[in-house]
Amino acid sequence: MEFTFVGADPRFLHLKRRLEADGHVLTPDSRSIIAPPAERRGIPYWDDPIYTIENAALTAEGALELIMRRADRSLPELSVLVAGFGRIGSLLAHKLAALGAKVTVAARSPEARALASARGHNSVDINCMTDVYDVLVNTVPAQILRGDHGASLCLDLASAPGGWADNTPVLKAPGLPGLYAPRSGADVMADAIYRVLEVDIIE
């Protein structure tokens, strides 16, 4: 089968190798377009439910690596606020807590806060955050945050325009799978592309 890459993504070099190794051809004008997830065009691999989970896991792992590298203390000494408790937020909170960090989850829905509490995290209403934290990580794709809550590291995993509605200094890190683990990200992407195409062919 022929594929065309559109746009730039750090995973594309590894994806190209994977597709060619599987016997596919890369051309400049194929109808089977592969574009970065943010562009939402071409083969809709980003809607594959397995892709969303695996990609979230890579994002959480990349965020954990950034926190460990950028924070000024070890994880067991850190209090970390994770804003949002979707796929990425819940996985990141779990990984942080497993390594000893004191995790608080900020979420809008009572159900998400109850689930976070049931998993052993502190939880607060995302609209009523008053405490001070060492690290603040946003996973919510909406500008809902203001200030740094005392954090020495504010990390934004959301796509543009990010989660802060003010000029708080923030380390913006969208697209972490491609930056942190491009080969693994490419494999996740390739598997999702094959699953989507298989469904299309069957239907």
Side-chain angles (χ1 to χ4, degrees):
M1 185 169 180
E2 294 187 348
F3 294 95
T4 293
F5 288 165
V6 174
D9 190 294
R11 294 170 288 188
F12 280 0
L13 174 62
H14 300 284
L15 181 60
K16 176 179 183 293
R17 292 172 180 163
R18 165 77 184 271
L19 294 175
E20 289 177 338
D22 291 344
H24 302 289
V25 177
L26 280 298
T27 71
D29 57 359
S30 169
R31 292 184 179 180
S32 297
I33 295 172
I34 300 173
E39 295 193 19
R40 289 294 192 272
R41 58 173 166 158
I43 300 169
Y45 59 88
W46 53 84
D47 287 333
D48 176 73
I50 296 174
Y51 171 85
T52 60
I53 294 169
E54 293 178 338
N55 195 63
L58 289 175
T59 301
E61 191 172 324
L64 180 62
E65 187 270 341
L66 269 178
I67 293 169
M68 294 173 72
R69 185 156 43 90
R70 296 295 186 99
D72 53 8
R73 286 184 288 180
S74 66
L75 287 175
E77 297 180 87
L78 294 178
S79 60
V80 183
L81 176 71
V82 177
F85 202 61
R87 292 185 188 91
I88 295 171
S90 60
L91 288 167
L92 178 58
H94 173 77
K95 291 178 184 292
L96 285 164
L99 292 172
K102 294 171 275 297
V103 178
T104 298
V105 170
R108 182 168 291 146
S109 80
E111 293 83 1
R113 296 196 298 273
L115 181 57
S117 296
R119 292 182 179 172
H121 312 305
N122 297 320
S123 65
V124 296
D125 188 318
I126 205 164
N127 297 310
C128 304
M129 299 184 302
T130 58
D131 289 343
V132 172
Y133 303 92
D134 299 311
V135 178
L136 200 169
V137 184
N138 175 59
T139 68
V140 181
Q143 291 184 298
I144 56 172
L145 300 174
R146 291 184 179 277
D148 60 10
H149 292 271
S152 59
L153 173 62
C154 291
L155 178 60
D156 199 345
L157 305 183
S159 55
W164 268 265
D166 60 15
N167 294 321
T168 297
V170 174
L171 176 61
K172 294 185 178 293
L176 268 181
L179 300 173
Y180 168 70
R183 184 171 177 177
S184 297
D187 284 337
V188 166
M189 188 184 290
D191 292 342
I193 289 167
Y194 289 161
R195 283 191 297 270
V196 169
L197 290 177
E198 183 176 295
V199 170
D200 287 345
I201 290 170
I202 291 173
E203 292 178 350

